[in-house]
């Protein structure tokens, strides 16, 4: 996500004085709820009931992720890149290519 989008998300909350409600636990709960709403769109089917609703729910998830990163002063690019390095060690191409096996079972 680019920095301008992140700034817009954070400013949206500040303009409404919502930061007072953005405790770690509230944000984590909100993120979980929004992620569940993504999952709900796939209930009983392989494809979402609505692409527009899927976009809205994914946006909500990204907004909560942004608020959580802001709350704990995490740089999104940094934490994602760190995690991808860990994943590369856990899932080396030669062991996992074309497989969905969990790393501890490879």
């Amino acid at each position: 996500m680019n920095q301008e989008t992140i700034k817009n998300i954070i400013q949206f909350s500040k303009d409404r004085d919502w930061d007072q409600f953005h405790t770690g636990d509230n944000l984590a709960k909100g993120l979980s709820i929004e992620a569940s709403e993504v999952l709900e769109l796939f209930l009983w089917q392989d494809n979402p009931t609505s692409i527009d609703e899927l976009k809205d729910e994914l946006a909500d998830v990204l907004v909560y992720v942004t608020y959580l990163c802001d709350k704990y002063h995490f740089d999104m690019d940094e934490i994602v890149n760190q995690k991808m390095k860990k994943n590369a060690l856990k899932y080396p191409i030669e062991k996992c290519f074309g497989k969905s096996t969990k790393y501890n079972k490879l």
Side-chain angles (χ1 to χ4, degrees):
M1 194 175 319
N2 71 42
Q3 290 302 312
E4 184 177 337
T5 302
I6 292 169
K7 283 174 55 178
N8 287 339
I9 292 168
I10 301 306
Q11 192 60 51
F12 183 89
S13 175
K14 289 185 186 308
D15 289 347
R16 288 153 181 81
D17 193 28
W18 287 351
D19 292 349
Q20 63 182 312
F21 308 116
H22 286 181
T23 60
D25 62 330
N26 282 341
L27 292 171
K29 290 171 193 173
L31 175 59
S32 179
I33 291 164
E34 294 302 339
S36 294
E37 290 178 6
V38 170
L39 187 59
E40 183 180 27
L41 296 174
F42 290 88
L43 186 61
W44 312 120
Q45 58 215 6
D46 292 336
N47 293 305
T49 52
S50 164
I51 294 299
D52 287 335
E53 287 181 41
L54 178 59
K55 288 178 184 178
D56 284 345
E57 296 306 338
L58 288 172
D60 288 340
V61 168
L62 291 169
V63 166
Y64 272 96
V65 167
T66 302
Y67 288 150
L68 268 168
C69 286
D70 183 62
K71 169 84 177 161
Y72 292 101
H73 310 289
F74 297 153
D75 179 285
M76 283 192 246
D77 291 319
E78 181 182 326
I79 65 173
V80 168
N81 287 320
Q82 286 174 353
K83 182 60 177 177
M84 293 308 296
K85 286 178 185 176
K86 290 178 184 178
N87 286 347
L89 294 173
K90 287 167 52 174
Y91 294 97
I93 294 169
E94 62 276 3
K95 285 187 175 182
C96 69
F97 186 81
K99 300 175 185 174
S100 62
T101 309
K102 189 170 179 177
Y103 70 93
N104 62 351
K105 303 281 187 191
L106 290 171

